[in-house]
Amino acid sequence: MRKLFTFVIICFIFNSSYAQQELTNDSILELMDLGFGKEVILSKINTSTVAFDTSIPALKKLKEKGVPSEVLAAMIDTDNKTAEVGVFFKEDGKLIKILPSIFSGNRTSTLGSSLSLGIAPAKKKSYVNNPVSENHIRQNKPEFIFQFDAEDKNDLNQVNWWFKTASSPNEFVLTQLKQKKNRRELVVAKAREITGTSQTGIDDKDTIDFEIEDLGKGRYKITPKYALEPGEYCFFYQGNMLAKGYTNTSIFDFSIIN
């Protein structure tokens, strides 16, 4: 009877403490202290939201405390998974999703072209409201995760279609946004009247190079090649557009702050 009572108490603690929380390195150690075997811990890892630190020092610490190799391997494997497609950035070991910001409108700047008799280009600028992004990143060389849908290309909607049709981050560009009072602007097209030429998309000189690491299963790690100055930035999709009325009207924006 006493053993049954103890088992019920352990199950209650397990359910109340971990059902609604992210599993962390400390969670794994607590589960081991409660006497759960590796099979139970592995099952919990596979069915939970996790925020593991799988750096070498952290793994060394867990190993020294007796965490089985199978559990360590499962923790590392979860670092290569996200629950949904999209763009994420890492903050304190957690993946935070960047929701797309919708363009609020467009402006065409023709004054410079007129004054230069068509030599300077006319520019089309798209803008989003608010002078700063809601996504604040406190690192000047942040790490991003792009998760594409490598299997189902048919379930399209206006929110995730980029990640159903694109196959790699090479179809996106990283660029800086220009702050204008209560909004942020991005030049998305240029045209020169004197030559009759036009360009759609972000100018190469305005793009920021980044490194791509293929993590498998449609997942990529993105890191800017150089430290980013404090300011407003975004990832902008300029791959192939879809039929059925799909257009690129959004950016994945973020702020680099001190």
Side-chain angles (χ1 to χ4, degrees):
M1 186 70 178
R2 185 175 181 180
K3 288 183 178 180
L4 178 61
F5 177 76
T6 301
F7 177 76
V8 171
I9 292 297
I10 289 176
C11 289
F12 174 78
I13 294 173
F14 182 89
N15 289 328
S16 61
S17 299
Y18 302 103
Q20 303 299 327
Q21 297 180 8
E22 289 182 324
L23 287 187
T24 64
N25 293 31
D26 289 339
S27 303
I28 299 299
L29 294 176
E30 289 177 24
L31 291 174
M32 290 188 61
D33 289 341
L34 287 171
F36 289 100
K38 64 181 180 183
E39 291 81 8
V40 175
I41 296 175
L42 289 173
S43 178
K44 189 61 180 172
I45 289 173
N46 290 331
T47 57
S48 301
T49 301
V50 302
F52 293 135
D53 179 358
T54 56
S55 64
I56 292 178
L59 292 175
K60 179 182 178 183
K61 180 180 178 181
L62 292 173
K63 188 66 176 177
E64 290 173 348
K65 291 184 177 292
V67 177
S69 296
E70 295 92 334
V71 173
L72 295 178
M75 292 172 65
I76 294 171
D77 188 52
T78 60
D79 197 41
N80 289 331
K81 297 177 181 177
T82 57
E84 54 188 327
V85 299
V87 179
F88 305 78
F89 68 92
K90 281 195 172 183
E91 187 83 5
D92 298 327
K94 298 180 180 179
L95 285 179
I96 301 174
K97 187 171 185 178
I98 299 178
L99 297 177
S101 292
I102 308 298
F103 287 135
S104 302
N106 300 288
R107 309 175 52 242
T108 301
S109 174
T110 59
L111 179 60
S113 179
S114 299
L115 293 177
S116 64
L117 301 179
I119 297 176
K123 299 177 181 179
K124 178 183 177 182
K125 301 176 182 178
S126 295
Y127 60 87
V128 292
N129 291 329
N130 301 320
V132 297
S133 172
E134 295 182 355
N135 303 298
H136 298 166
I137 301 180
R138 295 170 175 80
Q139 307 172 54
N140 59 10
K141 201 173 180 183
E143 178 182 311
F144 299 91
I145 296 295
F146 276 59
Q147 179 66 59
F148 297 92
D149 194 325
E151 298 178 358
D152 185 3
K153 299 292 186 180
N154 297 316
D155 180 22
L156 300 174
N157 61 58
Q158 291 288 352
V159 176
N160 69 11
W161 68 263
W162 298 275
F163 306 98
K164 298 287 186 176
T165 58
S167 57
S168 86
N170 283 319
E171 296 174 65
F172 290 76
V173 295
L174 174 60
T175 188
Q176 190 164 11
L177 297 168
K178 189 171 184 179
Q179 291 175 285
K180 288 279 190 175
K181 295 183 179 179
N182 62 343
R183 63 176 184 257
R184 289 155 288 152
E185 292 184 344
L186 180 65
V187 176
V188 296
K190 294 181 181 179
R192 293 182 184 272
E193 183 179 350
I194 194 170
T195 61
T197 59
S198 61
Q199 171 189 324
T200 301
I202 310 303
D203 195 309
D204 288 343
K205 68 180 181 62
D206 295 325
T207 63
I208 300 169
D209 292 336
F210 52 79
E211 297 175 338
I212 302 174
E213 181 181 349
D214 188 348
L215 302 176
K217 297 182 179 180
R219 192 167 194 252
Y220 297 83
K221 181 169 73 173
I222 306 301
T223 309
K225 285 189 176 181
Y226 310 102
L228 302 178
E229 296 291 333
E232 299 300 310
Y233 298 85
C234 74
F235 286 101
F236 179 76
Y237 176 78
Q238 54 183 26
N240 293 327
M241 298 300 172
L242 293 171
K244 302 180 182 179
Y246 287 88
T247 57
N248 188 13
T249 59
S250 305
I251 55 174
F252 297 89
D253 59 303
F254 60 93
S255 302
I256 296 295
I257 61 177
N258 292 325

